Amino acid sequence: MNDTPTLLITCDHAGFEDKQQLCVLLEQEGKYTVVDVGPDSMHPDDDYPLTVAPMCKLLQEALAQKQQAFGIIIARSGQGEAMVANRFKGIRAMVVNNANDEVVRLGRDHNNANVISLGTAFMTLGEIKHAIDIFVSTPFSNDTRHQRRIAQIDDCTIYE
C-alpha cells in the first residue's frame, strides 16, 4: 500500500497558472502523489462548479477506499469553490486565502477538512505550497466533540 498522500488538484481560470506550476513543484518534491484533475487548458469564462465537482467525486471514491487523499482547489478567492465542494457528502472544504498557519492547522485538527480551497489572488505560490504542506501534515485530533460535529455536518450534505 502506498503511504504517500494523494493530492487531487483542480482550479478555476484564475488559478490555472498557479495550478500548473504547483503540480510540477509538488511532483518534483516527491512527498505526494499528484493528480491534476484539470482543467487542462485555460478557459477565461469557465464555471468553477464544473471543475470542482469532478475532483470531489474522485475524492469521495478515494476516501471510500480508505486512501489518504486530499482535494486541493486553486482559485481567485477560493470561496465559491469551497461552497460547491461542501455540497458533496464526506467532503469538508476549508478556505485559506492568507498565510495564517494556525487557520490551516485548525481546519484539519478540529474539522478534519479534506479539501483546501486556496485564494491565489491573496497568496504567493510559495505561500500556497506552504499551506498545502501544513494541511496534509496536520492530523485530525479525533476528539469526541469534533467527531460529533463532523457527523452533524455530513448529515447536511446534498450530493451522495
Side-chain angles (χ1 to χ4, degrees):
M1 179 179 233
N2 188 354
D3 291 344
T4 306
T6 298
L7 303 182
L8 303 167
I9 304 178
T10 191
C11 68
D12 71 352
H13 60 274
F16 182 78
E17 293 300 323
D18 283 335
K19 178 191 68 107
Q20 298 300 98
Q21 293 176 40
L22 188 63
C23 285
V24 171
L25 284 172
L26 293 169
E27 286 174 351
Q28 288 175 343
E29 192 174 64
K31 292 185 346 187
Y32 311 112
T33 300
V34 177
V35 178
D36 184 345
V37 181
D40 297 328
S41 59
M42 184 10 187
H43 300 283
D45 294 324
D46 68 357
D47 293 323
Y48 57 81
L50 301 178
T51 63
V52 172
M55 183 276 298
C56 291
K57 291 175 184 175
L58 288 174
L59 183 57
Q60 285 177 317
E61 291 171 15
L63 296 173
Q65 296 174 12
K66 307 289 186 210
Q67 296 175 12
Q68 186 182 14
F70 300 93
I72 311 294
I73 302 169
I74 310 297
R76 182 172 315 280
S77 73
Q79 298 290 345
E81 294 78 10
M83 291 176 192
V84 172
N86 282 324
R87 295 186 180 281
F88 287 82
K89 188 162 186 68
I91 302 298
R92 290 174 300 283
M94 64 179 295
V95 176
V96 173
N97 52 26
N98 63 38
N100 187 327
D101 294 357
E102 189 61 18
V103 168
V104 179
R105 283 188 191 96
L106 285 172
R108 287 283 303 133
D109 181 59
H110 287 200
N111 308 113
N112 200 14
N114 48 28
V115 173
I116 187 169
S117 187
L118 296 145
T120 190
F122 309 102
M123 301 174 75
T124 67
L125 188 62
E127 290 170 336
I128 290 170
K129 170 135 179 358
H130 180 72
I132 291 169
D133 288 337
I134 291 172
F135 180 73
V136 174
S137 66
T138 301
F140 174 52
S141 69
N142 276 310
D143 286 349
T144 303
R145 65 189 168 127
H146 298 310
Q147 290 177 356
R148 181 181 66 246
R149 293 168 185 161
I150 290 167
Q152 293 169 12
I153 291 168
D154 287 346
D155 285 343
C156 296
T157 55
I158 294 174
Y159 300 115
E160 293 295 323

